[in-house]
Amino acid sequence: MGSRQIVEKSLSMLRSLPRISLANIRDNPNCKKKSKRGRAQHGGDKHGAGNKGSGQRQNFMRLGYETGNNPFYLRVPQEHYYRGHHLKREYPPFTLLQLQTIIDKDWVDISKPIDIASIIKSGIYTFYPDQKQFGIHLTDEGLDNFSAKINIEVQWASEQVIAAIERNGGVITTAYYDPHSLFLLKNPKKFFESGQAIPRRMIPPPDAIEYYTSAKTRGYLADPEEISKERLKLAQKYGYDLPNIENDPNYNMLCERKDPRQIFYGLQPGWVVNLKDNCILKPKDQDLLQFFNS
């Protein structure tokens, strides 16, 4: 076929083809995507928030909670993984490194006994008694760099932490505070402005009595003679010379302790602190004195 015939055939083909118009123009396949969400069974219109109930709201359930009628710890009752988890006491951690930092920055006065109130006042630590948090757990991070000689009261401490404080000539005590007392220690000014009398600190619950009466954990209800023996045993175990605090010029400060019913240093139960007049009101009635001292 010659070139002339090819040209004529092409022209005849163009004459028979339809003209390009809006009626026969089409987009390429899949060149456009729908901006509208589909129905629920095709991707959902719930924006990733689930179906009914608290799942479609930001009503997050507590840690360990499972929906349904039969949670895991009831399906496998032999293990008891989560049973009573929401009732257990928590102790938010506070490291020796953080303690040394606030001491170096003079955010806490080491010439006086240190308790949870003075640590909270430094602004580096906080806790929430309404969330089952019962005070400070002093951890061993920064163990090798800790060099302060202090008298500190915490709620939980390990053997390594106790050894780190006592090798520097310091003293550590573990003490229990009930939730109401912890609210007072967290914000003493708010309580004093209410004009109420300082309450008594409650005794530990039955499952905490063993810890706070043990000399190994330096419990505040332990026998002082047993604590002295345990201090010597711990020094022999970790291989350091136990400083003689009896000859220390700050012996009185190092030996200062709170009464088991006392919440604040220097303030007894039953006293009323008047911030407006800058004075302290003390009860004189014998029945009140007997009640708060019992």
Side-chain angles (χ1 to χ4, degrees), residues 50-177:
N51 288 321
K52 298 179 180 179
S54 62
Q56 61 189 359
R57 305 173 183 88
Q58 288 187 341
N59 181 19
F60 303 117
M61 293 166 284
R62 69 174 186 266
L63 184 64
Y65 179 77
E66 296 184 51
T67 58
N69 296 328
N70 200 8
F72 179 76
Y73 65 84
L74 292 180
R75 292 198 304 270
V76 189
Q78 294 84 1
E79 298 296 339
H80 308 302
Y81 284 119
Y82 298 119
R83 179 171 294 177
H85 69 279
H86 60 291
L87 300 176
K88 294 182 178 179
R89 291 183 296 275
E90 297 180 8
Y91 299 90
F94 184 70
T95 66
L96 286 173
L97 180 62
Q98 292 175 305
L99 181 59
Q100 185 67 51
T101 300
I102 63 176
I103 291 173
D104 294 340
K105 293 183 178 181
D106 291 332
W107 290 355
V108 66
D109 187 7
I110 62 174
S111 63
K112 299 178 181 178
I114 301 173
D115 65 344
I116 187 171
S118 56
I119 292 177
I120 291 175
K121 187 179 178 182
S122 67
I124 201 172
Y125 178 85
T126 187
F127 72 107
Y128 303 96
D130 56 338
Q131 298 181 13
K132 299 294 181 182
Q133 295 181 359
F134 279 73
I136 297 174
H137 175 198
L138 193 60
T139 61
D140 57 359
E141 183 180 349
L143 181 74
D144 298 330
N145 298 325
F146 187 78
S147 59
K149 182 172 64 176
I150 56 175
N151 178 6
I152 188 170
E153 178 190 80
V154 295
Q155 282 61 62
W156 202 272
S158 63
E159 186 179 74
Q160 292 84 0
V161 172
I162 295 173
I165 291 177
E166 291 181 349
R167 75 182 179 189
N168 298 327
V171 177
I172 182 172
T173 307
T174 55
Y176 172 82
Y177 289 92

Side-chain angles (χ1 to χ4, degrees), residues 35 44 47 76 85 91 95 154 161-162 177 183 204-205 210 214 216 266 269 271 273 292:
S35 60
H47 304 274
V76 189
H85 69 279
Y91 299 90
T95 66
V154 295
V161 172
I162 295 173
Y177 289 92
F183 274 111
E210 182 178 359
S214 174
K216 291 184 178 180
W271 291 6
V273 179
F292 285 110

